[in-house]
Amino acid sequence: MDFFAHLVTGFGTALSPMNLLYCFIGVLLGTVIGLLPGLGSATGVALLLPLTLNLSPTTALIMLAGIYYGAQYGATITSILIATPGDSASVVTAIDGYPMARQGRAGPALAIGAVSSFVSGIISLILLMALAPVFASLALHFGAPEICALIVLGFTSIVGFSGTSRTKGLAMAALGVAITTIGLDPQSGNARFTFGFINLFGGIGFLPVVIGLFAVAEVLHQVRSGKVEPIRTHFRDMILKREDWRRCRTTICGSGLLGFFIGVLPGAGATLASFLGYDLARHFSKHKDEFGKGAIEGVAASEAANSAAVNGAFVPTLTLGIPGSGTTAVLLGAFIVFGIQPGPLLFTNEPDLVWGLMCSFFIGSAILLLLNLPLVPVFASLLRFRYALIYPCILFLSFIGAYAIENRMWGVWLTLAFGIIGYFMKRYDYPTAPLILGIVLGGMFEKTLIQTSSMGGGDLTIFLNRPIAMVLFALAALILYGPYLAKIYSKIRRASARKA
Amino acid sequence: MTITKKRKNFLKVGSSIAMACALGSVTLASSAHAQESSWSPSQQVSMVVPFKPGGGSDIFGRAATAGIEEVRNNIDISVQNIVGGSGAVGYSTLLQRKGNPNYLLASETGAAIILPIMNDVPYNWDKLTPIAEAAEDHTMIIVANDSPYKSISDLVDAAKEGQVNIAISGKGSPASLSFKLIEKDQDVSFNRVVFESGSANNAALLGGDVAAAGANPGEAIELIKADKVRALTIFKDERFDRAPLSEVPTIAEAGIDVDITPTLQFRGVLASPGLSEAQQTYWENAIKEWSKTEGYKTYINNNYLTPKVRTGDEFADFLAKQHDTIAPLLKETD
C-alpha cells in the first residue's frame, strides 16, 4: 500500500538533520512564546514567519508547525502555575490545573498536561495520517446548522462549570454572550454597542478578557486575602504517580477522540474542544466533586482534547485548503508565501512536503515531551518564590501579553477592566469559566444561527431536515434532563418494587 | 511624548522577536528638513498593516516592504500590524501622523472605501495621501463541480423560479457587490448567506449548503484544479491568460453588461495626509520600480492577482470612482 511508502519518505524527510534541528528550534521558540500570555500560537507563527523565509518550504513549515505545538504547551504551563492561560485553548486547563498548583501539586499537573497532550496527539496523528480524506468529507457535512447544534451542546456544559450556583453560572454565560454582540454585526456589517468608539468595532477580544479575569483578578484577590504563602513542594510530589495515570487513562483517550472530531470541523476550534472534552470527562468521572477543585482528570481532559483538536484542524487544512483553526489559517498563508497552493491537490502535488510535515508532528510531539518532562520540577519550583516577587511578574507578563495581542494599549485597558470585574466576581463567588464559554460560543452561535436561518430563507424549520443537527440537539437535551429522567425512572421502579 | 514612544517600542521588542529592530527607531535622525526635490527617508519607515498577520493585507504589506527595500538602498521598513476595528484603527493611526512621510499603509478596497461608507469612522480614503495601486484582485462566481448550473444564466433562471442560496463574506464584500450587480441587471434576487471568510464560503459550497459563492481567484484556484468547483464567470474586462483560469468567461461574455469597478479589490499603498510632492513622488516611484522586479511577479503569480499600477491622480480618480459606484449599491443591499 502507498501509505507505508509515504510514511517512510515522510519520516525520511522529517528526520533529516536539518529538519530535525529546525523542528527542535520551532518547538523551543514556541514554548517560550506560549509562556507569554496573549502571544498564542497564531500570533507566534505569524510573527516568526519572516524568520523562515530563507529556508526550504518543507523545513520552514516544519519549524512553524513546531512553533504551533510548542506554543500550545507553553500556554499550559502558565495556566497551571499562575492561572494565566497563554491562549484560549488552555483556559480550561487552568480550572483544575491552578487549584492543583495551589495544593502543591503543580508537578503532576504539568506532567499530566505534557503526557496527555503527547498521547492524544499521537492517537490523533495516526487518525490524521490514515483517514484524513474520510474525515474531510465528514467535516463538509457539518454546515452552519450542525455547528449551531454543536454549540448548543457546548452551552449545556455551563452547568458543569458553574460551581456552587447554577443561576450564577447562567448569568455569567449570558454576560459572556452579551459581550460578543459588541462590534460590527457579522451579518450586516453595522456597528452595534460601539458608541462610536472605533476600538470597539472589532468587538471585545477574547484574550484580554481571559488574562484579566484569570491572572489580574487572581493577583488582586490573593493580595486582598493578605496571607499568601509560598507553596511548599517536595520533589516527591512533583512526579506523576501510577494512581494519577490510572485515573487519567480513559479520560485521555475519550476526550482526545472528541477533541479530534471537533478540531476537524472548520471553525469549531480547540477552545470548544477543550470545554467539551472537560465536560465529557466530568460526566463519566467517579470523582465528580473534585472537578474545579484540582482534579487531575480535568487537566488531562482539557489538554488531551485541545492537542487532538490541533491535529484535527490539519484535516481540512491539508485536504481541502480550508483552515480548521486560526493558527492553521496563518499556516495556510505561509504555504502561499512559499509558493505552495494549499488545496485538495496538495497530497498529490506535494507528497514529500505533506508527509514530511505530518511525520514531523510526531517528532515535534516527542521533542516537546522530552524537553518538558525534565523541566517540570524546575517550572513547579518557581512557585516556591515569595509572592512579593511572583505577583509583580505575573502582572508585568499579563500586561505585556495584553499589549502584544494587537500591539497597542487598548488590550491593556481591557485587561485591566476585566481584572477588576474578575476581582469582584471572585469576591462574590461568581464563576469565571461560564463567562469565558459564553464569549467563545456566543459569536459563533449568533453567526451559525443566522446562517442557518438565511439558508432556510428565514425559516428555522430547516433544522428538521438536518439529521446530524437533530442528533446533537437530542444529545444536548439528554445531558440537561438525563439526570432528572434517571431519578424519576428509579423512583418509579422503587415504587413499583414496593407494590410488588 | 518621547517617553511613551520609547515605552511602546520597548514593549514591542519584548513581545516580538521579529520586531527587534524597532529599537533603532528610538533614535530619531533629524534631517526632516532635507531638500524637497531630493527627498528620501532618513529614518526607519513603518508599513502599517491594519489587519492580522497571515491575511491578504499582511501578505501584500510584507511583499511591498521587501520590494521597496530591494529597489531602494539604505532604507529600512518595518511591518507593523496595527489591528482593530476591521481596519479602522490602522487607518486612524496614519491620520494622526499628518505630514509624516515615514508611514505607509497597506490598503485595499474594504477598509479604505467600504467601511467608511457603511460606518461612522473618523477617516475616509480621501483624507489620506494616495501613493499607488499595486495590484488588483477580481471576483468570480463559483459553483460545486456537480452543480446543475452551467452558466450565469442558469443561475439567474433558477433564481427567477425559487430560492437560490449564495455564500458571501459580509454585506460589503466584493462578492456581495458582484451578486448585487447581477441582481440589478437581471432583475432577480439571490438569497444571501453571510460567512466569515472565503474559506468558509468554500466549505459551505462543497457541503452543498449554498448553490453558488463569490471567491477571488486565489481562494478558488486549487478547488478548480481539483475539479471540486467550477467558475461560472469572472468580473474582469479580459480573461486571465493562464490556464485553468483562462477558461472562465468574463462577466461581459456571460451576457451581463455592467461596470465592474465596484467588484474590484485593489491592493495598494496610502500614506499620511499632507505629504509634500517630493515625498509622494518618492514613494510612487518606489512602487513603480517594485512592479518591475521578479519579486513583484512572484507575488502576483502566487496570489493570482492582476498586475495593475496606478499612481498620482490616476489612482485618486480610481478611488473616487470606486467610492461613487459602491456607495449606491450598498444602499440598495439590505
Side-chain angles (χ1 to χ4, degrees):
Chain A
M1 201 183 133
D2 260 8
F3 179 71
F4 290 99
H6 283 312
L7 211 58
V8 172
T9 17
F11 273 108
T13 312
L15 284 171
S16 79
M18 190 69 169
N19 290 342
L20 208 55
L21 174 72
Y22 278 99
C23 186
F24 178 77
I25 296 176
V27 168
L28 192 67
L29 280 177
T31 311
V32 174
I33 286 174
L35 282 172
L36 290 171
L39 272 185
S41 53
T43 324
V45 170
L47 281 175
L48 297 182
L49 176 62
L51 294 185
T52 62
L53 289 179
N54 296 325
L55 305 174
S56 82
T58 309
T59 310
L61 289 172
I62 285 176
M63 179 173 163
L64 293 173
I67 295 170
Y68 190 4
Y69 271 64
Q72 296 284 334
Y73 187 69
T76 305
I77 298 174
T78 47
S79 316
I80 290 173
L81 292 182
I82 55 175
T84 308
D87 70 5
S88 53
S90 45
V91 167
V92 185
T93 307
I95 294 174
D96 279 294
Y98 182 65
M100 279 184 77
R102 301 286 308 159
Q103 292 154 19
R105 287 170 42 79
L110 288 169
I112 200 73
V115 170
S116 48
S117 293
F118 177 75
V119 174
S120 84
I122 295 297
I123 296 173
S124 55
L125 274 175
I126 295 170
L127 287 175
L128 168 67
M129 289 173 128
L131 295 167
V134 180
F135 284 114
S137 56
L138 178 90
L140 289 178
H141 285 102
F142 270 74
E146 287 78 17
I147 300 283
C148 187
L150 182 70
I151 290 164
V152 170
L153 186 64
F155 274 126
T156 62
S157 66
I158 291 169
V159 179
F161 291 105
S162 292
T164 47
S165 155
R166 192 174 286 196
T167 323
K168 283 179 175 174
L170 285 173
M172 287 298 101
L175 178 63
V177 174
I179 287 173
T180 62
T181 61
I182 297 171
L184 295 187
D185 166 12
Q187 178 75 15
S188 68
N190 296 323
R192 294 188 303 200
F193 307 117
T194 60
F195 307 101
F197 253 142
I198 56 165
N199 278 327
L200 286 173
F201 274 32
I204 290 189
F206 176 79
L207 285 168
V209 179
V210 169
I211 300 173
L213 287 185
F214 278 84
V216 179
E218 178 66 20
V219 170
L220 293 177
H221 180 74
Q222 295 290 357
V223 167
R224 180 178 170 271
S225 70
K227 44 169 188 194
V228 274
E229 282 167 25
I231 297 162
R232 287 180 216 291
T233 43
H234 303 285
F235 188 75
R236 62 186 148 83
D237 295 333
M238 289 184 186
I239 299 160
L240 205 56
K241 294 193 187 66
R242 186 166 295 181
E243 164 68 15
D244 294 330
W245 170 243
R246 226 187 23 241
R247 274 176 68 167
C248 295
R249 264 184 322 204
T250 38
T251 303
I252 292 173
C253 295
S255 300
L257 283 177
L258 179 70
F260 181 75
F261 285 118
I262 294 173
V264 165
L265 309 176
T271 313
L272 180 60
S274 60
F275 272 99
L276 285 178
Y278 181 92
D279 207 46
L280 180 81
R282 197 184 59 88
H283 273 291
F284 290 100
S285 170
K286 290 190 194 103
H287 315 272
K288 267 188 198 148
D289 323 336
E290 288 178 33
F291 273 72
K293 294 174 197 131
I296 193 161
E297 300 101 306
V299 177
S302 155
E303 283 302 303
N306 83 35
S307 46
V310 165
N311 291 330
F314 277 101
V315 168
T317 311
L318 294 177
T319 55
L320 297 168
I322 291 168
S325 69
T327 312
T328 47
V330 179
L331 275 177
L332 281 187
F335 276 82
I336 296 169
V337 170
F338 289 110
I340 300 161
Q341 290 294 333
L345 295 179
L346 196 63
F347 272 84
T348 329
N349 291 348
E350 305 273 353
D352 285 0
L353 178 119
V354 177
W355 290 91
L357 187 65
M358 291 197 295
C359 292
S360 79
F361 295 167
F362 271 106
I363 293 159
S365 308
I367 293 177
L368 196 58
L369 189 72
L370 294 176
L371 192 71
N372 283 300
L373 271 187
L375 288 177
V376 160
V378 180
F379 285 127
S381 305
L382 291 177
L383 293 180
R384 302 172 78 156
F385 282 107
R386 277 189 299 126
Y387 272 85
L389 296 172
I390 292 183
Y391 283 158
C393 291
I394 295 179
L395 285 181
F396 181 68
L397 283 176
S398 299
F399 289 129
I400 284 191
Y403 182 86
I405 297 165
E406 290 183 343
N407 268 328
R408 58 204 186 100
M409 284 305 284
W410 171 243
V412 178
W413 302 132
L414 273 183
T415 300
L416 198 60
F418 278 93
I420 294 165
I421 294 172
Y423 166 74
F424 285 104
M425 280 169 61
K426 269 187 204 302
R427 195 167 163 185
Y428 297 104
D429 198 24
Y430 280 84
T432 11
L435 177 58
I436 305 286
L437 191 67
I439 295 182
V440 172
L441 297 184
M444 274 201 286
F445 180 65
E446 184 196 358
K447 200 170 63 193
T448 51
L449 187 67
I450 291 176
Q451 282 162 359
T452 307
S453 102
S454 346
M455 276 164 56
D459 189 353
L460 281 175
T461 50
I462 181 178
F463 275 121
L464 296 175
N465 304 325
R466 312 284 292 214
I468 300 176
M470 292 315 288
V471 169
L472 290 171
F473 280 132
L475 213 55
L478 195 68
I479 289 175
L480 281 184
Y481 300 109
Y484 296 110
L485 292 179
K487 244 182 232 165
I488 293 168
Y489 176 71
S490 65
K491 226 183 239 173
I492 294 170
R493 267 190 60 167
R494 242 181 285 140
S496 59
R498 229 177 282 145
K499 264 182 211 161
Chain B
M1 180 69 200
T2 18
I3 292 168
T4 37
K5 183 150 193 173
K6 268 184 192 165
R7 232 178 62 195
K8 270 184 191 167
N9 277 321
F10 170 69
L11 287 169
K12 243 175 252 157
V13 172
S15 65
S16 78
I17 298 158
M19 286 186 181
C21 48
L23 257 184
S25 69
V26 174
T27 47
L28 302 177
S30 61
S31 49
H33 299 291
Q35 287 195 342
E36 281 205 340
S37 53
S38 60
W39 184 85
S40 67
S42 51
Q43 65 176 78
Q44 200 189 38
V45 176
S46 295
M47 171 68 81
V48 173
V49 173
F51 294 96
K52 277 185 194 156
S57 280
D58 188 59
I59 293 175
F60 170 73
R62 288 177 197 275
T65 300
I68 297 172
E69 283 182 337
E70 187 190 331
V71 298
R72 288 278 180 273
N73 294 326
N74 307 323
I75 179 170
D76 179 16
I77 309 182
S78 78
V79 177
Q80 289 189 33
N81 297 87
I82 302 185
V83 189
S86 303
V89 176
Y91 278 71
S92 306
T93 306
L94 259 86
L95 208 59
Q96 291 154 12
R97 305 281 190 285
K98 197 169 184 218
N100 185 338
N102 301 309
Y103 279 83
L104 299 174
L105 179 74
S107 73
E108 44 72 58
T109 305
I113 292 172
I114 295 171
L115 188 65
I117 298 176
M118 293 179 66
N119 280 290
D120 188 17
V121 289
Y123 69 88
N124 196 6
W125 58 274
D126 58 4
K127 284 189 189 159
L128 298 167
T129 306
I131 299 295
E133 173 181 6
E136 237 161 46
D137 208 350
H138 298 273
T139 307
M140 303 196 299
I141 309 282
I142 55 174
V143 295
N145 210 33
D146 54 7
S147 158
Y149 308 123
K150 304 287 178 204
S151 66
I152 284 294
S153 50
D154 287 353
L155 201 64
V156 168
D157 290 343
K160 279 178 182 157
E161 280 167 22
Q163 179 184 328
V164 173
N165 287 346
I166 54 157
I168 53 166
S169 34
K171 178 185 162 193
S173 64
S176 173
L177 294 165
S178 305
F179 277 110
K180 185 75 209 167
L181 287 179
I182 300 178
E183 287 174 327
K184 275 185 73 169
D185 191 68
Q186 298 289 312
D187 195 26
V188 287
S189 86
F190 298 108
N191 186 43
R192 287 174 156 67
V193 187
V194 179
F195 292 90
E196 66 276 19
S197 66
S199 40
N201 289 347
N202 289 343
L205 192 65
L206 295 176
D209 288 341
V210 294
N216 58 37
E219 285 167 343
I221 184 68
E222 286 300 305
L223 294 172
I224 293 176
K225 282 188 191 162
D227 289 330
K228 296 266 184 195
V229 306
R230 284 181 284 121
L232 298 183
T233 188
I234 183 163
F235 283 78
K236 194 169 184 295
D237 289 327
E238 283 157 25
R239 289 189 183 203
F240 260 99
D241 52 10
R242 50 179 167 154
L245 291 176
S246 53
E247 291 159 24
V248 181
T250 65
I251 187 72
E253 288 177 75
I256 293 171
D257 181 28
V258 290
D259 176 8
I260 61 161
T261 311
T263 69
L264 295 172
Q265 192 179 23
F266 80 84
R267 296 218 173 269
V269 174
L270 299 177
S272 309
L275 258 57
S276 74
E277 210 166 292
Q279 290 162 341
Q280 197 174 342
T281 317
Y282 175 87
W283 290 122
E284 282 177 5
N285 289 337
I287 299 282
K288 272 189 204 158
E289 281 171 47
W290 169 47
S291 73
K292 293 182 184 103
T293 63
E294 276 304 307
Y296 176 79
K297 262 187 216 149
T298 312
Y299 167 70
I300 295 284
N301 286 335
N302 284 354
N303 294 283
Y304 289 84
L305 303 172
T306 307
K308 185 96 192 178
V309 179
R310 291 186 174 107
T311 54
D313 289 344
E314 200 194 346
F315 183 35
D317 290 346
F318 170 75
L319 292 171
K321 193 179 167 204
Q322 260 212 318
H323 176 269
D324 295 346
T325 50
I326 289 174
L329 279 183
L330 281 178
K331 290 216 172 71
E332 290 168 32
T333 319
D334 50 68

